[in-house]
Amino acid sequence: MASIVYDAALTARADPDRRISYSRSKTFYAAAGRYHGTGYGYDSVVQAVDVLVEAGHLIEHDKVKGGRATGWQSSFRPADHLADAVLPKVERHVGELVRLKDRERRLVVYRDTERTVRDRRFLETVNACIAAADIRLDAPGAVLDGHVLRFGSHAVYPSMKALYRVFNGGWTLGGRMYGGWWQQVRSGDREHFTIDGARTCEEDYPQLHPRLLYAIAGRRLDGDAYTLDGWDRKLCKRAFNIVVNAETYHAARGALLPYVDDDQRQAAALIKEMKRRHAPVARHFHSGIGIRLQYLDSEMAKAILTELTVKKGIAVLPIHDGFVIREEHRQDLLAAMEQAFSRQVATVGKTSVKTPRYRTNTPHMEGRGARRTASTPPVQPPISASTAADAESNIGRALQCRLRHPLQSGLSVP
Protein backbone atom coordinates (compact mmCIF):
# COMPACT_ATOMS: atom_id res chain seq x y z
CA MET A 1 0.00 0.00 0.00
CA ALA A 2 2.83 2.38 0.83
CA SER A 3 4.46 1.69 -2.52
CA ILE A 4 1.22 2.34 -4.39
CA VAL A 5 0.72 5.63 -2.53
CA TYR A 6 4.30 6.64 -3.26
CA ASP A 7 3.91 5.78 -6.95
CA ALA A 8 0.64 7.69 -7.16
CA ALA A 9 2.15 10.73 -5.43
CA LEU A 10 5.01 10.86 -7.96
CA THR A 11 2.50 10.61 -10.79
CA ALA A 12 0.34 13.34 -9.25
CA ARG A 13 3.35 15.66 -9.31
CA ALA A 14 4.58 14.78 -12.77
CA ASP A 15 1.32 14.37 -14.68
CA PRO A 16 -1.85 14.41 -12.55
CA ASP A 17 -4.09 13.47 -15.49
CA ARG A 18 -2.12 10.35 -16.33
CA ARG A 19 -3.78 7.08 -15.41
CA ILE A 20 -1.95 4.32 -13.57
CA SER A 21 -2.79 0.78 -14.65
CA TYR A 22 -2.58 -2.53 -12.82
CA SER A 23 -4.01 -6.01 -13.27
CA ARG A 24 -6.93 -7.63 -11.44
CA SER A 25 -6.21 -10.96 -13.12
CA LYS A 26 -4.72 -13.74 -10.99
CA THR A 27 -2.84 -15.15 -13.97
CA PHE A 28 -0.97 -11.85 -14.32
CA TYR A 29 0.68 -12.43 -10.93
CA ALA A 30 1.65 -16.04 -11.59
CA ALA A 31 5.31 -15.07 -12.05
CA ALA A 32 5.36 -12.45 -9.31
CA GLY A 33 7.63 -14.42 -6.98
CA ARG A 34 10.67 -14.34 -9.28
CA TYR A 35 10.15 -10.84 -10.59
CA HIS A 36 8.63 -8.74 -7.84
CA GLY A 37 8.76 -10.74 -4.64
CA THR A 38 5.86 -12.39 -2.84
CA GLY A 39 4.66 -9.06 -1.43
CA TYR A 40 3.20 -7.99 -4.77
CA GLY A 41 0.69 -10.71 -5.47
CA TYR A 42 -2.93 -10.66 -6.57
CA ASP A 43 -4.40 -10.42 -3.06
CA SER A 44 -2.05 -7.74 -1.74
CA VAL A 45 -2.15 -5.43 -4.78
CA VAL A 46 -5.87 -5.67 -5.56
CA GLN A 47 -6.95 -5.26 -1.94
CA ALA A 48 -4.54 -2.37 -1.38
CA VAL A 49 -5.89 -0.52 -4.42
CA ASP A 50 -9.49 -1.08 -3.32
CA VAL A 51 -8.78 0.31 0.17
CA LEU A 52 -6.98 3.37 -1.22
CA VAL A 53 -9.85 4.03 -3.62
CA GLU A 54 -12.32 3.81 -0.74
CA ALA A 55 -10.18 6.24 1.26
CA GLY A 56 -10.21 8.76 -1.61
CA HIS A 57 -6.49 8.69 -2.38
CA LEU A 58 -7.04 7.02 -5.75
CA ILE A 59 -9.89 8.25 -7.94
CA GLU A 60 -11.68 7.47 -11.21
CA HIS A 61 -11.13 3.78 -10.61
CA ASP A 62 -11.89 1.79 -13.76
CA LYS A 63 -12.03 -1.93 -13.03
CA VAL A 64 -11.44 -4.45 -15.78
CA LYS A 65 -12.63 -7.91 -14.89
CA GLY A 66 -9.77 -10.32 -14.43
CA GLY A 67 -9.27 -12.64 -17.37
CA ARG A 68 -11.10 -10.50 -19.92
CA ALA A 69 -8.99 -10.71 -23.10
CA THR A 70 -9.18 -7.04 -24.07
CA GLY A 71 -5.53 -6.12 -23.60
CA TRP A 72 -6.57 -3.40 -21.15
CA GLN A 73 -5.79 -3.39 -17.46
CA SER A 74 -7.71 -1.77 -14.63
CA SER A 75 -6.59 1.77 -13.92
CA PHE A 76 -7.01 4.76 -11.64
CA ARG A 77 -5.85 8.33 -11.31
CA PRO A 78 -4.08 9.79 -8.24
CA ALA A 79 -6.12 12.22 -6.17
CA ASP A 80 -4.92 15.80 -6.49
CA HIS A 81 -3.93 16.06 -2.80
CA LEU A 82 -1.21 13.42 -3.29
CA ALA A 83 0.87 16.00 -5.19
CA ASP A 84 1.45 17.78 -1.86
CA ALA A 85 2.49 14.67 0.06
CA VAL A 86 5.89 14.81 1.80
CA LEU A 87 7.61 11.69 0.52
CA PRO A 88 10.20 9.72 2.46
CA LYS A 89 13.55 8.69 1.05
CA VAL A 90 13.30 5.36 -0.76
CA GLU A 91 15.62 2.63 -1.87
CA ARG A 92 14.78 1.31 -5.31
CA HIS A 93 15.19 -2.39 -5.92
CA VAL A 94 15.06 -3.26 -9.58
CA GLY A 95 14.15 -6.88 -8.86
CA GLU A 96 14.95 -9.66 -11.33
CA LEU A 97 17.60 -8.52 -13.80
CA VAL A 98 16.87 -11.14 -16.47
CA ARG A 99 13.23 -11.15 -17.52
CA LEU A 100 11.37 -13.39 -19.93
CA LYS A 101 7.99 -12.56 -21.42
CA ASP A 102 5.71 -14.70 -23.52
CA ARG A 103 4.14 -13.80 -26.84
CA GLU A 104 1.48 -11.79 -25.00
CA ARG A 105 4.14 -9.78 -23.16
CA ARG A 106 3.39 -11.41 -19.82
CA LEU A 107 6.25 -12.24 -17.47
CA VAL A 108 6.82 -15.97 -17.25
CA VAL A 109 8.76 -18.15 -14.84
CA TYR A 110 11.90 -19.85 -16.15
CA ARG A 111 14.63 -22.09 -14.81
CA ASP A 112 18.10 -20.62 -14.51
CA THR A 113 20.79 -21.85 -16.85
CA GLU A 114 24.47 -21.02 -17.14
CA ARG A 115 23.48 -18.30 -19.57
CA THR A 116 20.89 -16.60 -17.35
CA VAL A 117 23.25 -16.75 -14.37
CA ARG A 118 26.02 -15.27 -16.51
CA ASP A 119 23.72 -12.49 -17.78
CA ARG A 120 22.62 -11.67 -14.24
CA ARG A 121 26.21 -11.39 -13.00
CA PHE A 122 27.07 -9.19 -15.98
CA LEU A 123 24.20 -6.82 -15.16
CA GLU A 124 25.10 -6.77 -11.47
CA THR A 125 28.63 -5.67 -12.36
CA VAL A 126 27.41 -3.02 -14.80
CA ASN A 127 24.84 -1.71 -12.34
CA ALA A 128 27.42 -1.46 -9.56
CA CYS A 129 29.65 0.67 -11.79
CA ILE A 130 26.78 2.93 -12.86
CA ALA A 131 25.53 3.25 -9.27
CA ALA A 132 28.98 4.45 -8.18
CA ALA A 133 29.07 7.12 -10.90
CA ASP A 134 27.79 10.65 -10.32
CA ILE A 135 25.40 11.09 -13.25
CA ARG A 136 23.91 14.55 -13.68
CA LEU A 137 21.96 16.42 -16.30
CA ASP A 138 22.51 20.17 -16.47
CA ALA A 139 20.13 20.81 -19.35
CA PRO A 140 18.56 24.27 -19.79
CA GLY A 141 15.19 24.42 -18.08
CA ALA A 142 15.76 21.25 -16.06
CA VAL A 143 14.62 21.64 -12.45
CA LEU A 144 15.16 19.06 -9.71
CA ASP A 145 11.93 18.82 -7.72
CA GLY A 146 12.65 16.43 -4.89
CA HIS A 147 12.72 12.98 -6.51
CA VAL A 148 11.83 14.26 -9.97
CA LEU A 149 13.85 16.08 -12.63
CA ARG A 150 11.48 18.21 -14.69
CA PHE A 151 11.73 19.66 -18.19
CA GLY A 152 8.47 21.55 -18.36
CA SER A 153 5.79 18.87 -18.69
CA HIS A 154 8.41 16.13 -19.17
CA ALA A 155 9.78 14.42 -16.05
CA VAL A 156 12.43 11.77 -15.30
CA TYR A 157 13.43 9.98 -12.11
CA PRO A 158 17.22 10.04 -11.44
CA SER A 159 16.96 7.30 -8.82
CA MET A 160 16.35 4.76 -11.60
CA LYS A 161 19.94 3.67 -12.26
CA ALA A 162 19.73 -0.13 -12.52
CA LEU A 163 19.51 -1.96 -15.85
CA TYR A 164 17.73 -5.22 -16.59
CA ARG A 165 17.25 -7.25 -19.79
CA VAL A 166 13.87 -8.19 -21.23
CA PHE A 167 13.52 -11.12 -23.64
CA ASN A 168 10.27 -11.33 -25.59
CA GLY A 169 8.98 -14.75 -26.56
CA GLY A 170 12.33 -16.55 -26.40
CA TRP A 171 15.98 -16.18 -25.48
CA THR A 172 16.93 -14.97 -28.96
CA LEU A 173 14.18 -12.37 -29.23
CA GLY A 174 14.42 -8.90 -27.70
CA GLY A 175 16.96 -8.84 -24.90
CA ARG A 176 17.39 -5.07 -24.72
CA MET A 177 18.39 -3.36 -21.49
CA TYR A 178 15.89 -1.08 -19.77
CA GLY A 179 15.55 0.72 -16.45
CA GLY A 180 18.05 3.60 -16.66
CA TRP A 181 16.62 7.10 -16.16
CA TRP A 182 18.91 8.47 -18.88
CA GLN A 183 16.89 6.45 -21.40
CA GLN A 184 13.90 8.69 -20.68
CA VAL A 185 15.77 11.92 -21.43
CA ARG A 186 14.92 13.47 -24.79
CA SER A 187 17.68 13.42 -27.39
CA GLY A 188 18.03 17.21 -27.43
CA ASP A 189 18.83 17.24 -23.72
CA ARG A 190 21.25 14.32 -23.56
CA GLU A 191 24.22 16.43 -24.62
CA HIS A 192 24.10 18.02 -21.17
CA PHE A 193 24.91 14.85 -19.25
CA THR A 194 27.97 14.80 -17.01
CA ILE A 195 29.54 11.72 -15.44
CA ASP A 196 31.66 12.32 -12.35
CA GLY A 197 31.77 16.01 -13.24
CA ALA A 198 33.14 15.47 -16.76
CA ARG A 199 31.47 16.32 -20.06
CA THR A 200 30.04 13.44 -22.04
CA CYS A 201 29.43 12.52 -25.67
CA GLU A 202 26.89 10.23 -27.27
CA GLU A 203 27.64 7.84 -30.10
CA ASP A 204 25.18 5.56 -31.86
CA TYR A 205 25.01 3.22 -34.82
CA PRO A 206 23.56 4.86 -37.94
CA GLN A 207 20.94 2.73 -39.71
CA LEU A 208 21.74 -0.23 -37.50
CA HIS A 209 18.74 -2.44 -38.23
CA PRO A 210 18.92 -1.96 -42.02
CA ARG A 211 22.61 -2.86 -41.93
CA LEU A 212 21.97 -5.94 -39.79
CA LEU A 213 19.12 -7.02 -42.04
CA TYR A 214 21.37 -6.84 -45.07
CA ALA A 215 24.04 -8.79 -43.17
CA ILE A 216 21.50 -11.54 -42.52
CA ALA A 217 20.89 -11.69 -46.27
CA GLY A 218 24.62 -11.83 -46.91
CA ARG A 219 24.54 -8.44 -48.61
CA ARG A 220 25.85 -4.95 -47.94
CA LEU A 221 23.62 -1.88 -47.67
CA ASP A 222 24.46 0.78 -50.25
CA GLY A 223 23.48 4.38 -49.64
CA ASP A 224 20.90 5.71 -47.20
CA ALA A 225 18.28 3.13 -46.27
CA TYR A 226 15.69 5.82 -45.63
CA THR A 227 15.99 7.84 -48.85
CA LEU A 228 13.29 7.21 -51.47
CA ASP A 229 12.66 9.50 -54.40
CA GLY A 230 9.57 11.61 -53.87
CA TRP A 231 9.12 10.64 -50.22
CA ASP A 232 10.00 12.47 -47.01
CA ARG A 233 13.02 10.84 -45.35
CA LYS A 234 11.52 11.01 -41.85
CA LEU A 235 8.42 9.18 -43.11
CA CYS A 236 10.59 6.61 -44.87
CA LYS A 237 12.54 5.89 -41.71
CA ARG A 238 9.31 5.34 -39.82
CA ALA A 239 7.99 3.17 -42.65
CA PHE A 240 11.11 0.99 -42.67
CA ASN A 241 10.80 0.33 -38.94
CA ILE A 242 7.11 -0.46 -39.34
CA VAL A 243 7.54 -2.97 -42.16
CA VAL A 244 10.39 -4.67 -40.33
CA ASN A 245 8.43 -5.03 -37.10
CA ALA A 246 4.97 -5.82 -38.45
CA GLU A 247 3.93 -9.46 -38.70
CA THR A 248 1.76 -9.15 -41.81
CA TYR A 249 1.36 -6.90 -44.81
CA HIS A 250 -2.04 -5.69 -43.61
CA ALA A 251 -0.58 -4.87 -40.20
CA ALA A 252 2.21 -2.86 -41.82
CA ARG A 253 -0.16 -0.97 -44.07
CA GLY A 254 -2.49 -0.23 -41.18
CA ALA A 255 0.34 1.05 -38.98
CA LEU A 256 1.37 3.48 -41.74
CA LEU A 257 -2.08 5.03 -42.17
CA PRO A 258 -1.76 7.68 -39.42
CA TYR A 259 1.34 9.04 -41.17
CA VAL A 260 -0.16 9.27 -44.68
CA ASP A 261 -3.49 10.95 -43.84
CA ASP A 262 -5.27 7.58 -43.64
CA ASP A 263 -4.70 7.08 -47.35
CA GLN A 264 -4.48 3.32 -47.95
CA ARG A 265 -3.18 3.79 -51.48
CA GLN A 266 -0.37 5.97 -50.21
CA ALA A 267 0.51 3.43 -47.54
CA ALA A 268 0.53 0.61 -50.08
CA ALA A 269 2.61 2.68 -52.52
CA LEU A 270 5.18 3.47 -49.85
CA ILE A 271 5.55 -0.19 -48.87
CA LYS A 272 5.90 -1.13 -52.54
CA GLU A 273 8.59 1.48 -53.07
CA MET A 274 10.36 0.38 -49.89
CA LYS A 275 10.42 -3.19 -51.18
CA ARG A 276 11.77 -2.04 -54.53
CA ARG A 277 14.54 -0.04 -52.86
CA HIS A 278 15.45 -2.93 -50.57
CA ALA A 279 14.83 -5.89 -52.86
CA PRO A 280 17.68 -7.99 -51.35
CA VAL A 281 15.92 -8.04 -47.96
CA ALA A 282 12.29 -7.46 -48.97
CA ARG A 283 11.37 -11.04 -48.07
CA HIS A 284 11.90 -10.12 -44.41
CA PHE A 285 9.47 -7.20 -44.52
CA HIS A 286 6.25 -7.55 -42.48
CA SER A 287 7.60 -10.83 -41.11
CA GLY A 288 8.13 -9.83 -37.47
CA ILE A 289 11.91 -10.04 -37.76
CA GLY A 290 12.34 -6.77 -35.88
CA ILE A 291 12.32 -8.54 -32.51
CA ARG A 292 15.22 -10.69 -33.75
CA LEU A 293 17.12 -7.56 -34.81
CA GLN A 294 16.59 -6.17 -31.31
CA TYR A 295 18.28 -9.27 -29.94
CA LEU A 296 21.27 -8.71 -32.21
CA ASP A 297 21.64 -5.06 -31.15
CA SER A 298 21.21 -6.06 -27.49
CA GLU A 299 24.07 -8.54 -27.80
CA MET A 300 26.19 -5.79 -29.35
CA ALA A 301 25.36 -3.50 -26.41
CA LYS A 302 26.31 -6.29 -24.03
CA ALA A 303 29.65 -6.76 -25.78
CA ILE A 304 30.39 -3.02 -25.55
CA LEU A 305 29.54 -2.87 -21.84
CA THR A 306 31.60 -5.99 -21.21
CA GLU A 307 34.64 -4.45 -22.87
CA LEU A 308 34.38 -1.00 -21.29
CA THR A 309 32.44 -1.35 -18.04
CA VAL A 310 33.11 -4.89 -16.86
CA LYS A 311 36.76 -5.09 -17.94
CA LYS A 312 37.85 -1.44 -17.56
CA GLY A 313 35.40 0.03 -15.03
CA ILE A 314 34.25 2.81 -17.40
CA ALA A 315 30.67 3.95 -16.79
CA VAL A 316 28.67 3.66 -20.03
CA LEU A 317 25.00 4.62 -20.26
CA PRO A 318 23.33 2.47 -22.94
CA ILE A 319 20.33 3.72 -24.92
CA HIS A 320 19.72 0.59 -27.02
CA ASP A 321 21.84 1.36 -30.13
CA GLY A 322 23.49 4.44 -28.62
CA PHE A 323 25.81 5.09 -25.68
CA VAL A 324 26.67 8.05 -23.45
CA ILE A 325 30.20 8.16 -22.08
CA ARG A 326 32.75 10.65 -20.79
CA GLU A 327 34.40 12.50 -23.68
CA GLU A 328 37.84 11.27 -22.67
CA HIS A 329 36.70 7.70 -23.41
CA ARG A 330 35.14 8.46 -26.80
CA GLN A 331 37.78 6.63 -28.83
CA ASP A 332 37.50 3.59 -26.56
CA LEU A 333 33.75 3.57 -27.17
CA LEU A 334 34.09 3.89 -30.95
CA ALA A 335 36.58 1.03 -31.04
CA ALA A 336 34.32 -1.19 -28.93
CA MET A 337 31.31 -0.34 -31.11
CA GLU A 338 33.19 -1.18 -34.31
CA GLN A 339 34.41 -4.46 -32.86
CA ALA A 340 30.92 -5.43 -31.64
CA PHE A 341 29.36 -4.64 -35.01
CA SER A 342 32.01 -6.51 -37.00
CA ARG A 343 31.62 -9.61 -34.85
CA GLN A 344 27.85 -9.52 -35.08
CA VAL A 345 27.86 -9.11 -38.86
CA ALA A 346 30.31 -11.99 -39.19
CA THR A 347 28.08 -14.15 -37.00
CA VAL A 348 24.73 -13.48 -38.67
CA GLY A 349 26.29 -13.74 -42.12
CA LYS A 350 27.10 -17.38 -41.40
CA THR A 351 23.89 -18.24 -39.58
CA SER A 352 20.51 -19.10 -41.07
CA VAL A 353 18.09 -16.78 -39.33
CA LYS A 354 14.50 -17.96 -39.09
CA THR A 355 11.92 -15.23 -39.15
CA PRO A 356 10.07 -15.26 -35.80
CA ARG A 357 6.32 -15.24 -35.74
CA TYR A 358 5.77 -12.61 -33.14
CA ARG A 359 3.21 -9.94 -32.38
CA THR A 360 3.71 -6.53 -33.90
CA ASN A 361 5.59 -3.98 -31.81
CA THR A 362 3.32 -0.99 -31.41
CA PRO A 363 3.73 2.39 -29.73
CA HIS A 364 2.35 2.83 -26.23
CA MET A 365 -1.28 3.95 -26.38
CA GLU A 366 -1.95 6.79 -23.97
CA GLY A 367 -5.63 6.14 -23.46
CA ARG A 368 -8.70 4.33 -24.61
CA GLY A 369 -9.52 7.16 -26.96
CA ALA A 370 -6.37 6.52 -28.97
CA ARG A 371 -6.86 5.47 -32.57
CA ARG A 372 -6.68 1.75 -33.26
CA THR A 373 -6.09 0.02 -36.54
CA ALA A 374 -5.75 -3.61 -37.46
CA SER A 375 -2.02 -3.18 -36.90
CA THR A 376 -2.25 -1.69 -33.44
CA PRO A 377 -3.79 -4.18 -31.03
CA PRO A 378 -4.57 -3.03 -27.51
CA VAL A 379 -1.42 -2.60 -25.44
CA GLN A 380 -1.30 -2.85 -21.67
CA PRO A 381 -0.06 0.53 -20.43
CA PRO A 382 2.70 0.59 -17.81
CA ILE A 383 1.46 0.76 -14.25
CA SER A 384 3.24 4.04 -13.60
CA ALA A 385 4.26 7.17 -15.41
CA SER A 386 7.58 6.86 -13.64
CA THR A 387 8.50 3.93 -15.85
CA ALA A 388 8.01 5.47 -19.26
CA ALA A 389 11.49 4.32 -20.27
CA ASP A 390 10.53 0.70 -19.97
CA ALA A 391 8.50 0.29 -23.11
CA GLU A 392 8.47 -3.48 -22.61
CA SER A 393 7.16 -3.47 -19.07
CA ASN A 394 3.59 -3.61 -17.92
CA ILE A 395 4.08 -3.57 -14.18
CA GLY A 396 5.58 -0.55 -12.46
CA ARG A 397 9.01 -0.40 -10.95
CA ALA A 398 7.71 1.95 -8.31
CA LEU A 399 5.80 -1.02 -6.91
CA GLN A 400 9.22 -2.48 -6.13
CA CYS A 401 10.22 0.41 -3.88
CA ARG A 402 11.02 -0.62 -0.34
CA LEU A 403 10.24 2.34 1.89
CA ARG A 404 12.61 2.84 4.79
CA HIS A 405 9.79 4.47 6.73
CA PRO A 406 6.48 3.37 5.19
CA LEU A 407 3.59 5.79 5.21
CA GLN A 408 5.55 8.82 6.37
CA SER A 409 3.93 10.81 3.63
CA GLY A 410 1.51 12.41 6.03
CA LEU A 411 -1.42 10.59 4.44
CA SER A 412 -4.15 9.06 6.55
CA VAL A 413 -4.28 5.58 5.10
CA PRO A 414 -6.57 3.01 6.73
Side-chain angles (χ1 to χ4, degrees):
M1 187 180 292
S3 295
I4 295 172
V5 170
Y6 188 92
D7 191 33
L10 288 179
T11 303
R13 291 181 179 182
D15 187 357
D17 294 324
R18 191 181 187 97
R19 300 189 66 81
I20 301 172
S21 69
Y22 74 103
S23 179
R24 297 183 75 89
S25 170
K26 290 184 179 180
T27 58
F28 179 86
Y29 297 92
R34 169 178 281 276
Y35 294 103
H36 307 300
T38 56
Y40 298 101
Y42 170 80
D43 292 328
S44 58
V45 172
V46 171
Q47 291 185 37
V49 169
D50 288 345
V51 170
L52 291 169
V53 169
E54 182 67 23
H57 301 308
L58 309 178
I59 61 176
E60 299 178 16
H61 190 203
D62 182 12
K63 292 184 181 180
V64 174
K65 187 177 180 180
R68 193 198 309 174
T70 62
W72 292 105
Q73 292 184 323
S74 301
S75 63
F76 53 80
R77 193 172 67 79
D80 293 340
H81 66 260
L82 291 184
D84 300 322
V86 178
L87 299 178
K89 185 176 181 179
V90 300
E91 293 179 348
R92 287 188 179 270
H93 293 262
V94 69
E96 176 58 67
L97 300 181
V98 180
R99 307 181 184 189
L100 178 64
K101 293 187 177 184
D102 61 17
R103 297 171 66 88
E104 301 303 320
R105 297 188 179 185
R106 295 172 299 200
L107 290 167
V108 295
V109 176
Y110 62 87
R111 291 185 178 181
D112 274 320
T113 63
E114 288 186 15
R115 173 185 170 171
T116 61
V117 171
R118 190 166 56 246
D119 260 10
R120 193 174 296 112
R121 288 174 179 169
F122 156 76
L123 288 164
E124 287 172 350
T125 302
V126 169
N127 287 339
C129 182
I130 292 176
D134 181 14
I135 304 168
R136 302 192 182 189
L137 186 63
D138 299 320
V143 177
L144 185 62
D145 178 13
H147 306 268
V148 182
L149 187 63
R150 300 183 182 281
F151 307 79
S153 61
H154 183 63
V156 297
Y157 301 80
S159 60
M160 298 171 62
K161 298 179 71 174
L163 296 167
Y164 53 89
R165 290 188 79 179
V166 180
F167 295 89
N168 305 90
W171 294 112
T172 59
L173 302 174
R176 282 181 166 180
M177 286 173 270
Y178 298 91
W181 70 276
W182 54 88
Q183 296 174 333
Q184 303 179 37
V185 175
R186 294 172 295 195
S187 58
D189 293 316
R190 291 202 293 263
E191 63 181 282
H192 301 287
F193 272 116
T194 63
I195 299 178
D196 294 329
R199 289 175 57 88
T200 63
C201 62
E202 180 180 356
E203 300 292 341
D204 61 12
Y205 287 104
Q207 306 181 75
L208 180 57
H209 279 192
R211 294 163 70 192
L212 288 175
L213 195 58
Y214 269 77
I216 288 173
R219 304 289 291 271
R220 183 183 181 90
L221 172 65
D222 293 323
D224 181 12
Y226 310 129
T227 297
L228 298 178
D229 291 339
W231 296 90
D232 176 72
R233 186 183 184 279
K234 185 176 181 180
L235 172 62
C236 292
K237 181 176 181 180
R238 189 183 298 274
F240 187 95
N241 291 328
I242 287 175
V243 297
V244 166
N245 284 288
E247 273 198 329
T248 66
Y249 171 79
H250 292 293
R253 188 180 62 181
L256 271 173
L257 290 178
Y259 309 105
V260 292
D261 297 324
D262 289 327
D263 188 328
Q264 293 199 27
R265 291 185 178 180
Q266 280 283 88
L270 179 52
I271 293 175
K272 182 178 180 180
E273 183 64 15
M274 189 68 68
K275 288 182 175 180
R276 186 198 64 78
R277 164 69 177 87
H278 296 292
V281 297
R283 68 186 181 89
H284 292 297
F285 286 175
H286 46 76
S287 69
I289 199 173
I291 200 71
R292 166 65 175 165
L293 298 178
Q294 286 187 20
Y295 173 71
L296 299 181
D297 72 48
S298 77
E299 286 292 283
M300 290 167 59
K302 179 183 175 183
I304 292 164
L305 290 174
T306 297
E307 183 65 26
L308 298 180
T309 304
V310 175
K311 294 182 179 180
K312 301 180 180 179
I314 299 173
V316 180
L317 311 181
I319 310 174
H320 307 320
D321 63 351
F323 307 88
V324 175
I325 196 170
R326 288 174 57 152
E327 283 187 341
E328 63 189 273
H329 299 304
R330 180 174 181 271
Q331 293 304 319
D332 295 318
L333 173 60
L334 291 174
M337 290 174 66
E338 177 60 30
Q339 183 181 57
F341 179 77
S342 297
R343 288 180 176 177
Q344 195 62 261
V345 167
T347 299
V348 300
K350 298 176 181 178
T351 304
S352 175
V353 179
K354 294 183 179 180
T355 300
R357 301 304 300 172
Y358 191 76
R359 69 180 297 170
T360 304
N361 291 341
T362 55
H364 173 63
M365 298 174 65
E366 293 295 338
R368 295 196 176 190
R371 174 186 175 86
R372 292 189 196 173
T373 68
S375 63
T376 55
V379 178
Q380 295 178 348
I383 195 168
S384 169
S386 66
T387 59
D390 180 6
E392 292 288 340
S393 178
N394 54 10
I395 184 165
R397 303 288 75 74
L399 283 185
Q400 299 165 31
C401 292
R402 308 293 194 264
L403 301 189
R404 289 179 176 173
H405 304 289
L407 300 180
Q408 288 186 0
S409 60
L411 300 173
S412 174
V413 181

